Amino acid sequence: MTTTAHPLVTAARRLARDLLVPQAERVDRTEVPAGHLEAIRRAGLLGVGAPREYGGANAPVAVARETAEILAGACCSTWFVQTQHHTPVKLIAAHDSPVRERLLRPLATGELLAGIAFAHVRAFPRVPVRAVAERGGWRFDGRVPWYTGWGLNDVMLLAGVTDTAEVVFVVADAREQPGLTPSAPLRLAALTAARTVSLELDGLWVPEESVVLRMEREEFARIDLPRAANASPAVFGVAAAALELLAGTPEGEATARALRERLDGVRRESYALADHPAPHACVLERLAVRTRAFDVMRAATTAAIVAGGGRAMALDSRAQRLAREGLFLLVQGQTADARRAHLASLASG
């Protein structure tokens, strides 16, 4: 794995070493503490890609990727809560709206923490959340199946689909209120600590000045396709953490060395494809590389379990936590195209 020379990468490594890794097993069995997010904010990592004029770092994409790898490898639950924040920041920064002038600075500096509630738009033609223009704003009805960071986030980027297949993105307060009811926290095989709930929307009303963007559903799908075909930096972070653990065992050094070469290769290829100047180029190749990244991650986490023996089954074992986090990453951000590509690869052996 390469190391980018940047103060934010240094800060992320220090944060991982001093706070996230030592507490990761405890966090995994409980929940992400607000103090972890505050430490990430103080390190400047909530504004890694945000515009400098609004208080962000405007760091290169390589820095954003490497800091994500570091955080995910240290404590994937904490990474998953904070990674939600970066999409609203990016979207709000990219579109001229009243929301940008009102919220971009507190989001870029981390004064406010944001979550996301729009992955359900990918279910079209099924419409889990419907948006209807009403009273100088928008009414939202339906169910958000997954919302991460409940109780930690201040605001959320929410999307619904209209009867004319337009996607409406708004910023709403991330709290229980008339028209918005959270479920109890979901108990999951991995990342339960990330405080994930479902949200029932029954007439949630959001004013027009809270609209970030409106776009046709087909345009959303066109933009989403290449982005969702890329491997997440978290996959490389969890795999690298597993290989570090493996290399420290009496019999694992040679295996770790071989798997690290495979990991470095697929990482370079994945990021090169993600940086392709034509976003829709090589989508099938991106999906294939994403699947190969999963293969290496799965091999790395499995090897850490094997090297750990029976001790790896204990709930305080780092190896089994990384293996469960790897399982989560197999389906995080999954689209129908990604699922088909992954299943076809598994069937071909």
Side-chain angles (χ1 to χ4, degrees):
M1 306 286 278
T2 59
T3 299
T4 305
H6 193 282
L8 288 180
V9 174
T10 302
R13 292 196 180 281
R14 184 182 305 115
L15 185 62
R17 181 195 64 218
D18 296 344
L19 177 66
L20 301 185
V21 170
Q23 298 192 28
E25 276 67 61
R26 180 187 63 79
V27 168
D28 178 64
R29 298 193 299 274
T30 55
E31 62 183 16
V32 173
H36 278 27
L37 281 304
E38 173 59 20
I40 289 172
R41 183 196 69 78
R42 289 197 306 268
L45 294 168
L46 290 178
V48 60
R52 196 177 300 277
E53 61 268 30
Y54 285 89
N58 193 31
V61 66
V63 171
R65 288 169 179 158
E66 189 157 358
T67 56
E69 291 173 1
I70 293 165
L71 297 181
C75 177
C76 202
S77 292
T78 299
W79 163 80
F80 193 49
V81 172
Q82 68 82 42
T83 201
Q84 315 293 310
H85 178 83
H86 300 291
T87 297
V89 171
K90 184 176 180 180
L91 196 66
I92 290 168
H95 296 90
D96 187 15
S97 73
V99 175
R100 185 168 69 180
E101 296 311 310
R102 178 165 54 93
L103 292 180
L104 185 52
R105 178 168 291 278
L107 288 171
T109 60
E111 178 186 343
L112 294 178
L113 186 68
I116 57 174
F118 68 80
H120 50 268
V121 174
R122 292 171 175 157
F124 193 89
R126 188 167 58 86
V127 180
V129 175
R130 190 167 299 279
V132 177
E134 183 180 280
R135 295 184 290 116
W138 292 87
R139 173 189 172 117
F140 291 84
D141 293 279
R143 181 173 180 270
V144 176
W146 306 92
Y147 181 81
T148 294
W150 186 258
L152 292 169
N153 295 327
D154 301 293
V155 296
M156 62 178 169
L157 182 67
L158 169 67
V161 180
T162 70
D163 288 339
T164 58
E166 183 181 39
V167 185
V168 181
F169 290 89
V170 301
V171 172
D173 289 338
R175 59 176 175 80
E176 188 167 2
Q177 57 187 290
L180 189 160
T181 305
S183 71
L186 302 179
R187 300 299 299 174
L188 306 172
L191 276 71
T192 287
R195 305 197 195 187
T196 298
V197 299
S198 59
L199 302 176
E200 296 295 334
L201 306 178
D202 183 14
L204 174 68
W205 184 82
V206 180
E208 183 66 34
E209 57 264 29
S210 292
V211 173
V212 176
L213 172 67
R214 293 166 58 180
M215 64 167 52
E216 295 300 316
R217 204 284 316 176
E218 288 185 356
E219 177 65 6
F220 170 84
R222 189 188 70 82
I223 294 172
D224 189 52
L225 178 64
R227 179 177 56 201
N230 296 323
S232 167
V235 171
F236 304 115
V238 167
L243 294 181
E244 180 183 6
L245 187 62
L246 177 64
T249 65
E251 300 170 321
E253 187 174 355
T255 303
R257 191 182 311 114
L259 287 174
R260 196 179 306 277
E261 288 182 7
R262 288 175 55 192
L263 181 64
D264 287 347
V266 74
R267 179 180 181 265
R268 285 193 299 270
E269 192 172 356
S270 175
Y271 289 162
L273 287 168
D275 291 337
H276 195 285
H280 287 81
C282 312
V283 168
L284 292 179
E285 188 176 355
R286 292 173 192 233
L287 288 169
V289 172
R290 172 187 165 108
T291 298
R292 283 172 43 214
F294 287 151
D295 290 342
V296 179
M297 177 186 66
R298 188 172 65 249
T301 56
T302 300
I305 291 284
V306 171
R311 295 184 304 277
M313 291 300 99
L315 288 179
D316 61 355
S317 162
R318 186 182 179 196
Q320 63 82 24
R321 173 178 60 81
L322 289 167
R324 288 187 291 105
E325 291 170 350
L327 289 176
F328 169 82
L329 293 174
L330 294 180
V331 297
Q332 186 256 328
Q334 184 188 65
T335 63
D337 288 335
R339 180 167 53 250
R340 283 191 291 267
H342 197 174
L343 289 174
S345 174
L346 292 170
S348 66

